[in-house]
Amino acid sequence: MSLTIADVCEVQAQLEASGKAYQIELHDGKIIIMGPSDIVSSFIGIQFGRLLANWVNPRRLGMVFDSSGGFILPNSDLTAPDVAFVSRQRMPRSVRYFAEVVPNLVVEIKSQSDRIPKLQAKLQMYLQQGAEIGILVDPDREWVEVYRPNGSSQGFGNGDILSLPDLLPGWELSISELWPPVFDEE
């Protein structure tokens, strides 16, 4: 039996009524319940989103979303990337529902329990659905991988600067800014 967005909404309502809050996605007609992220992944998500939004918002280029923003893709999947950017051309007006649009940029951040091949497959699905760029952030290796629809990829480590001139000309991100600070005891 293939489930729908309406089924997702019903399950979400039942979970909320029982006092449970989980993020739910729909992939290939199956409901996927996502648990909370570890705090390192959460920090990186807010950091990436903040640094991107700080550049996008004053230029009115589009909107940046966190992992709570749901997108209905052309294949009827309901997904919520860890960070997403949607250009103003793709979504000139926000809606009070899931966005029926493919983000231009999707970012997936490896949490403690995630496996890299599964995240790579998810990013490839986004690219096949129309995303322009997919980014995988691996906090364990302090490594960022950028994927494009043509099958190319490029890796970035500490000391590198990530730029996306074809999508966000002029935006730059120092990879070392993504990682949580270490506070030494005094």
Side-chain angles (χ1 to χ4, degrees), residues 83-117:
V83 178
F85 164 72
V86 180
S87 68
R88 62 194 254 172
Q89 291 82 10
R90 286 197 180 184
M91 193 166 77
R93 187 175 307 275
S94 58
V95 295
R96 192 81 167 135
Y97 188 64
F98 304 121
E100 294 188 40
V101 64
V102 179
N104 300 74
L105 168 69
V106 292
V107 179
E108 290 293 335
I109 302 163
K110 181 187 178 295
S111 66
Q112 194 173 19
S113 61
D114 284 332
R115 299 294 168 250
I116 295 290

Side-chain angles (χ1 to χ4, degrees), residues 19-148:
K20 297 178 180 140
Y22 293 100
Q23 181 175 323
I24 297 178
E25 293 188 358
L26 181 66
H27 292 282
D28 296 324
K30 297 177 186 140
I31 291 178
I32 310 289
I33 298 176
M34 316 289 282
S37 292
D38 61 80
I39 61 168
V40 169
S41 299
S42 176
F43 176 88
I44 293 168
I46 196 74
Q47 186 77 337
F48 197 113
R50 179 184 63 81
L51 293 168
L52 181 58
N54 283 349
W55 195 83
V56 165
N57 290 348
R59 291 163 180 81
R60 299 180 47 81
L61 299 175
M63 293 180 265
V64 177
F65 299 92
D66 70 3
S67 61
S68 298
F71 296 90
I72 300 172
L73 304 179
N75 66 359
S76 298
D77 282 358
L78 171 63
T79 64
D82 292 321
V83 178
F85 164 72
V86 180
S87 68
R88 62 194 254 172
Q89 291 82 10
R90 286 197 180 184
M91 193 166 77
R93 187 175 307 275
S94 58
V95 295
R96 192 81 167 135
Y97 188 64
F98 304 121
E100 294 188 40
V101 64
V102 179
N104 300 74
L105 168 69
V106 292
V107 179
E108 290 293 335
I109 302 163
K110 181 187 178 295
S111 66
Q112 194 173 19
S113 61
D114 284 332
R115 299 294 168 250
I116 295 290
K118 183 177 173 186
L119 293 173
Q120 289 170 325
K122 190 173 185 180
L123 287 168
Q124 290 304 318
M125 182 274 302
Y126 283 120
L127 294 170
Q128 291 166 358
Q129 292 297 304
E132 296 176 54
I133 296 174
I135 296 179
L136 173 59
V137 179
D138 183 351
D140 298 327
R141 297 184 326 156
E142 293 188 346
W143 185 254
V144 174
E145 193 84 21
V146 176
Y147 299 92
R148 299 187 184 279

Side-chain angles (χ1 to χ4, degrees), residues 4-18:
T4 67
I5 302 293
D7 296 317
V8 170
C9 292
E10 183 178 322
V11 170
Q12 185 71 48
Q14 290 172 1
L15 286 171
E16 288 172 1
S18 68

